[in-house]
Amino acid sequence: SAVISQKPSRDICQRGTSLTIQCQVDSQVTMMFWYRQQPGQSLTLIATANQGSEATYESGFVIDKFPISRPNLTFSTLTVSNMSPEDSSIYLCSAGPQGGELFFGEGSRLTVL
Amino acid sequence: RKEVEQDPGPFNVPEGATVAFNCTYSNSASQSFFWYRQDCRKEPKLLMSVYSSGNEDGRFTAQLNRASQYISLLIRDSKLSDSATYLCVVNDFNKFYFGSGTKLNVKP
């Protein structure tokens, strides 16, 4: 199994600012992903974080808004840029071996005023 | 069309009841399948993987029907602690897509 730590666990931000969420995994993993979960809804895949190269974004998500880094096999960041109230959500980092189980961090609860 | 579709519920059942959840997926080439459980304000956690031959873990049984692109989860002898949202998850070429979740409320 993998233990995933995310920070911050929660934040309240002003419109127009940016926030970077960090994700640390306690072991080397092949796959890392970022999800968003809006209140009362299920998880939506934002992007696959690729080690040493640009992330692969899902339809509706773009690099300028959600830049992602993954410098090594255990760490990734997601930045939510130029935030608006519609970006208020829980952002979840997940990781796992190729074809195997996904583990999740506890999430970062973001509120944009 | 959504990748993964589930009945959102809620399913309200008494303790001891048997309850079944279904899920359909759109991509016939999907490779692996899972049920996750999510408690309120918590992250999702794996409940069980789903195999074509079906698999059982205690009171939980999962089945996969590739021909119909259909996954099921059966919970027998429901406990109060089973109350949660159950998420159907499909792995498409190493991308994991989640259904909307089915909410289960087990009542005394």
Side-chain angles (χ1 to χ4, degrees):
Chain A
S1 65
V3 176
I4 301 175
S5 304
Q6 270 185 250
K7 56 181 182 182
S9 58
R10 59 177 63 234
D11 208 340
I12 300 173
C13 301
Q14 295 298 319
R15 180 194 300 258
T17 62
S18 298
L19 177 74
T20 295
I21 303 167
Q22 297 182 1
C23 176
Q24 179 73 54
V25 189
D26 69 343
S27 57
Q28 292 189 345
V29 287
T30 310
M31 316 296 295
M32 288 185 78
F33 305 93
W34 287 96
Y35 285 85
R36 181 171 74 184
Q37 187 171 29
Q38 295 182 307
Q41 298 190 26
S42 190
L43 284 75
T44 300
L45 180 62
I46 297 172
T48 303
N50 299 309
Q51 191 256 326
S53 65
E54 191 172 291
T56 305
Y57 290 85
E58 295 297 300
S59 176
F61 297 96
V62 295
I63 188 171
D64 290 345
K65 177 67 176 176
F66 297 101
I68 289 170
S69 79
R70 189 178 173 193
N72 56 50
L73 290 174
T74 64
F75 185 77
S76 179
T77 67
L78 168 74
T79 299
V80 186
S81 303
N82 187 24
M83 287 184 285
S84 66
E86 292 72 35
D87 294 321
S88 297
S89 189
I90 299 172
Y91 293 85
L92 291 145
C93 173
S94 66
Q98 195 160 352
E101 172 185 355
L102 262 191
F103 298 91
F104 284 85
E106 292 185 344
S108 299
R109 185 179 296 271
L110 173 63
T111 302
V112 184
L113 303 177
Chain B
R1 185 181 173 187
K2 288 185 180 178
E3 294 272 349
V4 186
E5 301 219 37
Q6 288 182 254
D7 180 346
F11 284 56
N12 299 307
V13 303
E15 269 188 293
T18 295
V19 61
F21 306 139
N22 300 320
C23 166
T24 58
Y25 60 95
S26 61
N27 186 354
S28 60
S30 297
Q31 298 159 314
S32 53
F33 309 87
F34 308 88
W35 283 101
Y36 274 70
R37 169 187 170 137
Q38 187 172 28
D39 292 288
C40 189
R41 301 176 80 84
K42 297 285 190 182
E43 74 275 20
K45 294 189 177 176
L46 180 69
L47 179 65
M48 57 198 307
S49 301
V50 188
Y51 305 113
S52 296
S53 54
N55 49 308
E56 186 173 314
D57 182 3
R59 297 181 294 109
F60 299 85
T61 300
Q63 296 253 317
L64 166 64
N65 183 324
R66 280 195 179 271
S68 302
Q69 295 178 210
Y70 168 99
I71 303 158
S72 66
L73 176 68
L74 182 77
I75 305 176
R76 290 179 297 279
D77 188 23
S78 299
K79 312 290 185 192
L80 295 175
S81 58
D82 293 334
S83 297
T85 296
Y86 291 83
L87 301 162
C88 176
V89 183
V90 172
N91 178 356
D92 280 355
F93 299 96
N94 291 315
K95 292 185 182 181
F96 291 74
Y97 295 101
F98 284 71
S100 58
T102 299
K103 188 169 176 58
L104 173 64
N105 296 315
V106 181
K107 300 187 180 298

